[in-house]
Amino acid sequence: MSTNAPLSLFRSLLRQARNMDNYNFREYATRRVRVGFENNRNLAGDHLDMALREGREQLDILKRQVVLGRLYPSAPSVMESVE
Amino acid sequence: MITMHRILLTSSQRSLRSSRPKVAATATATATATTTPTHAASLSTAALVHDDNDANRFSIRGKFRTGRASYLDMSSTTPLDPRVLDKMMPYFTLLGCYMRARKSSFSRDQTVIDATLSCSIVYALNILSRFNIPFAARCSLTHAFANFHSSRSNVQIGSYGNPHSRTHSYGWESESTVEDARAQVASLIKASPKEIIFTSGATESNNLSIKGAAHFYGGEGKGKKHVITTQTEHKCVLDSCRSLEQEGYEVTYLPVQSSTGLVDMEQLENAMREDTFLVSIMAVNNEIGTRQPIEEIGALCRKKKILFHTDAAQMLGKLPIDVNAMSIDLMSLSSHKIYGPKGIGALYIRRRPRVRLEPLFSGGGQERGLRSGTLPHTLCAGFGAACELAEKEMEIDDAWIRYLSDKLCSGIEARIPMVTRNGHPELRYPGCVNYSFAYVEGESLLMALKNVAVSSGSACTSASLEPSYVLRALGVDDELAHGSLRFGIGRFTSEAEVDFLLDLLEDHVGRLRDMSPLWEMVQEGIDLKTIQWSQDAHH
């Protein structure tokens, strides 16, 4: 079984996106990752490599921002409170 | 014409007349509302039943959720995108001061830098360990920080230098940061980086272009004294024109087409005179979202050899801009409207044919002599990053915002009767939605929408009771303008927030209308304009 690089990147990105502190950023990150992978579904060769590299950069950015979000947390949004 | 004598009753008086059906309503109210114990206690005393029936039916106490309001005011400002913050962080943080140097030069500092780099990473990890981040995550974090350092190889040691210092590397590095940002901004509007100067925001850019052009082209013996603008411009443009009028210039404030807000091209052409030197029309209006026909206006101004200035703060990064296709001579840009930092903006000034301006204030002659002062390279980097991001994300953002905007508009029109959308139906930016709710008072609706952050029709003057001048220019009468709300949808708006807003609007507009005797009369089919009020009969 070969390691499926796009799939593992997708899962890592979603995992990090779930950890974002701010409601709006969390929702956006989850949606954006899905949309990004959906749009790039049929890439191959050089385009695929470039997209994967960009994806890994975005993963690093996401990790850093998750940490920052925890260091400086925002107040919970009204959308997160159960009525 | 029917003349009717009617006495307006207050809502409590009306409730006394028809108190019988209210008992059922109270029962449902107690069952569904999150009432406090005091409410239940007061309901049990029979003598107060009919007063509290309406108090409970119309009460909004205890009906709010806890938490920070859902932000739906993207036209006024936008949150800083985390990816933009990431690009700005090296200029703010201690870690940034210990970045790995460029390999081609400063190699003798390499070992020192690497040592300090590892020290700083250990320092950071010590802080992070207090947050209970598991070991595996910490490893990947170190990796993330290390990768950040290697990818940012052009960010040098201690990036806090003054970009205008010419004599040392601190200055050179900051300058290169500013120049990179300039190129990023220019690429978004298809201009050359030499045509962009950084300012403190769109307000300063508007002032600089209008007053600067006026003082240059209208100076002694040059004879150009006329400026054309519209009635729906931003306050800073209108105020700059007003100050020019006090200096002796003449300004024509063009009216806009009612209910759409578009400029009439014929009126614009007729207003142009021999001594007109500037036309200033904003690209996308911040209150109603109407997009002006910039290409046509630009072509007309080019033909008549008049400068064309546009305030594109709301259009940048959201709709495509091409300064050459649109024949724009001067354009104001703002960073905090495209998920960038507040406090920075830019002014595009065409070089071919050359546009000359007089600077607003004197100083060291930075930014081609037009805008003196030290540039905040941190904010410039943020603005540039925001522009680059906007270029990449424009399609995805546009699709999402259009989807949410259509959902919001069709939802409001389907669920709430007697609403009017202000602005042009097609030629608009979909993220800015402005609705007038008839027979509803705007301030009370805003108070009820406590869980959502929206702005009322009188946006810029939210402290005063004056209705918005933009809506008045559209021909909306004052009471309808008071009952207007502006919703701003952006990149970070979620679908759940739009659904939440629709539910709240339906509830509270319905509740406020139920309380209103005018609404009752309208429901009965009475035309309010044909009523003869009994107080008028005395005159």
Side-chain angles (χ1 to χ4, degrees):
Chain A
M1 187 183 83
S2 57
T3 52
N4 191 342
L7 186 60
S8 73
L9 182 62
F10 182 64
R11 287 206 184 116
S12 319
L13 280 168
L14 279 185
R15 206 178 313 132
Q16 288 301 318
R18 258 200 306 268
N19 292 336
M20 280 223 86
D21 182 70
N22 181 287
Y23 166 80
N24 290 95
F25 293 155
R26 192 166 56 236
E27 292 289 306
Y28 172 74
T30 326
R31 178 178 62 85
R32 178 64 179 84
V33 167
R34 280 189 226 269
V35 167
F37 274 79
E38 187 62 42
N39 289 348
N40 294 336
R41 181 178 278 225
N42 299 320
L43 288 183
D46 273 343
H47 293 290
L48 180 64
D49 289 336
M50 234 169 53
L52 284 176
R53 210 175 316 135
E54 252 185 66
R56 287 192 192 106
E57 272 175 34
Q58 296 294 313
L59 179 61
D60 285 341
I61 294 177
L62 199 46
K63 282 184 186 162
R64 286 193 290 268
Q65 292 305 315
V66 164
V67 170
L68 268 181
R70 275 198 228 141
L71 287 174
Y72 297 98
S74 47
S77 163
V78 88
M79 306 301 297
E80 292 170 303
S81 70
V82 182
E83 189 139 282
Chain B
M1 193 171 93
I2 307 165
T3 53
M4 299 180 62
H5 298 272
R6 281 228 170 203
I7 304 162
L8 270 184
L9 300 171
T10 61
S11 57
S12 57
Q13 284 177 313
R14 285 162 64 230
S15 73
L16 279 173
R17 289 213 172 161
S18 51
S19 53
R20 259 170 293 119
K22 292 298 188 320
V23 183
T26 329
T28 48
T30 44
T32 55
T34 54
T35 50
T36 60
T38 50
H39 271 223
S42 60
L43 283 170
S44 61
T45 46
L48 298 169
V49 159
H50 46 251
D51 274 334
D52 282 320
N53 285 338
D54 263 350
N56 272 339
R57 194 155 73 93
F58 298 133
S59 164
I60 55 176
R61 194 185 304 172
K63 297 240 181 85
F64 298 111
R65 291 200 204 172
T66 51
R68 206 109 178 283
S70 147
Y71 190 74
L72 281 164
D73 198 16
M74 297 285 178
S75 304
S76 77
T77 188
T78 52
L80 187 63
D81 193 309
R83 293 165 286 190
V84 172
L85 176 60
D86 194 74
K87 294 280 185 292
M88 286 168 69
M89 278 306 278
Y91 307 101
F92 286 127
T93 61
L94 186 65
L95 277 174
C97 295
Y98 297 98
M99 292 298 183
R100 188 169 297 151
R102 202 180 290 158
K103 296 212 167 44
S104 55
S105 52
F106 313 116
S107 50
R108 54 193 158 83
D109 301 317
Q110 190 73 23
T111 45
V112 176
I113 291 159
D114 281 347
T116 48
L117 183 63
S118 39
C119 286
S120 58
I121 291 183
V122 167
Y123 176 64
L125 284 177
N126 277 334
I127 300 175
L128 293 175
S129 63
R130 291 185 217 147
F131 290 93
N132 293 326
I133 301 172
F135 182 69
R138 257 186 282 159
C139 283
S140 67
L141 280 171
T142 350
H143 200 59
F145 279 110
N147 280 348
F148 179 78
H149 295 165
S150 59
S151 67
R152 299 289 299 161
S153 56
N154 61 334
V155 177
Q156 302 302 324
I157 312 160
S159 279
Y160 53 82
N162 186 323
H164 312 293
S165 304
R166 289 285 161 87
T167 55
H168 47 69
S169 54
Y170 292 83
W172 303 330
E173 285 136 26
S174 310
E175 188 180 12
S176 81
T177 308
V178 169
E179 295 310 314
D180 288 344
R182 211 187 291 273
Q184 286 165 326
V185 175
S187 118
L188 183 55
I189 59 174
K190 304 209 172 39
S192 146
K194 296 186 194 157
E195 297 172 311
I196 304 275
I197 62 166
F198 285 112
T199 61
S200 69
T203 298
E204 185 188 334
S205 302
N206 283 331
N207 270 269
L208 178 52
S209 41
I210 294 173
K211 292 178 182 165
H215 295 150
F216 188 84
Y217 291 99
E220 298 283 320
K222 295 206 180 145
K224 300 278 193 174
K225 286 278 173 208
H226 186 226
V227 178
I228 302 176
T229 183
T230 65
Q231 288 173 2
T232 53
E233 289 296 307
H234 195 264
K235 269 275 184 296
C236 54
V237 170
L238 293 177
D239 228 50
S240 305
C241 292
R242 204 149 295 140
S243 89
L244 283 186
E245 279 183 317
Q246 285 178 347
E247 288 176 23
Y249 292 83
E250 284 167 36
V251 183
T252 302
Y253 300 92
L254 287 177
V256 291
Q257 286 173 6
S258 73
S259 96
T260 59
L262 282 183
V263 156
D264 192 325
M265 294 303 296
E266 269 188 51
Q267 272 187 347
L268 174 60
E269 189 156 9
N270 294 338
M272 290 176 172
R273 309 191 316 219
E274 284 301 312
D275 60 344
T276 308
F277 66 91
L278 180 70
V279 167
S280 174
I281 296 181
M282 75 194 313
V284 168
N285 190 284
N286 55 325
E287 283 200 41
I288 53 179
T290 299
R291 182 202 187 280
Q292 302 288 357
I294 297 286
E295 297 87 351
E296 288 178 44
I297 301 173
L300 177 62
C301 291
R302 184 60 66 84
K303 199 173 71 176
K304 304 263 181 160
K305 302 245 182 356
I306 299 174
L307 284 181
F308 177 39
H309 164 254
T310 178
D311 178 1
Q314 295 287 343
M315 191 175 171
L316 181 71
K318 297 171 174 148
L319 298 171
I321 301 178
D322 184 338
V323 287
N324 293 313
M326 297 171 173
S327 317
I328 297 172
D329 295 308
L330 291 158
M331 184 158 69
S332 309
L333 309 168
S334 171
S335 153
H336 71 103
K337 301 275 164 44
I338 52 164
Y339 314 95
K342 291 180 184 59
I344 185 96
L347 176 60
Y348 161 77
I349 309 172
R350 179 171 284 281
R351 287 183 89 223
R352 291 212 189 92
R354 184 166 227 115
V355 174
R356 307 288 301 272
L357 298 176
E358 259 197 31
L360 275 179
F361 44 83
S362 328
Q366 286 84 14
E367 295 295 273
R368 289 166 50 195
L370 292 166
R371 206 274 178 187
S372 307
T374 300
L375 280 176
H377 66 290
T378 49
L379 299 179
C380 294
F383 188 15
C387 286
E388 191 181 35
L389 198 59
E391 217 177 341
K392 275 197 268 187
E393 303 276 314
M394 211 187 287
E395 271 179 46
I396 298 177
D397 282 346
D398 185 64
W400 180 241
I401 291 171
R402 223 167 266 275
Y403 166 67
L404 285 185
S405 173
D406 287 340
K407 187 168 196 197
L408 180 65
C409 293
S410 52
I412 291 179
E413 285 168 11
R415 288 155 76 163
I416 306 173
M418 303 200 76
V419 294
T420 342
R421 208 188 62 214
N422 301 311
H424 198 279
E426 280 104 50
L427 297 173
R428 56 186 276 253
Y429 167 58
C432 179
V433 176
N434 191 310
Y435 269 98
S436 293
F437 299 92
Y439 310 105
V440 168
E441 209 281 305
E443 289 303 313
S444 28
L445 184 55
L446 267 185
M447 280 199 285
L449 293 177
K450 217 176 68 162
N451 282 143
V452 176
V454 291
S455 122
S456 73
S458 44
C460 290
T461 53
S462 52
S464 82
L465 290 173
E466 209 185 298
S468 151
Y469 63 91
V470 173
L471 292 179
R472 213 189 296 134
L474 248 60
V476 178
D477 37 273
D478 281 358
E479 53 181 87
L480 209 55
H482 273 301
S484 303
L485 289 185
R486 174 188 75 177
F487 310 109
I489 298 169
R491 192 186 280 171
F492 296 111
T493 314
S494 70
E495 194 164 359
E497 290 180 312
V498 171
D499 292 332
F500 182 50
L501 173 68
L502 282 172
D503 291 337
L504 277 185
L505 275 177
E506 193 180 6
D507 277 341
H508 290 291
V509 171
R511 179 184 62 88
L512 287 169
R513 281 175 173 168
D514 276 347
M515 280 202 275
S516 161
L518 290 179
W519 177 249
E520 202 181 283
M521 288 198 267
V522 167
Q523 295 290 79
E524 288 171 14
I526 301 163
D527 181 5
L528 292 181
K529 296 197 176 50
T530 62
I531 296 176
Q532 186 107 24
W533 299 105
S534 58
Q535 291 177 345
D536 288 344
H538 294 307
H539 302 139

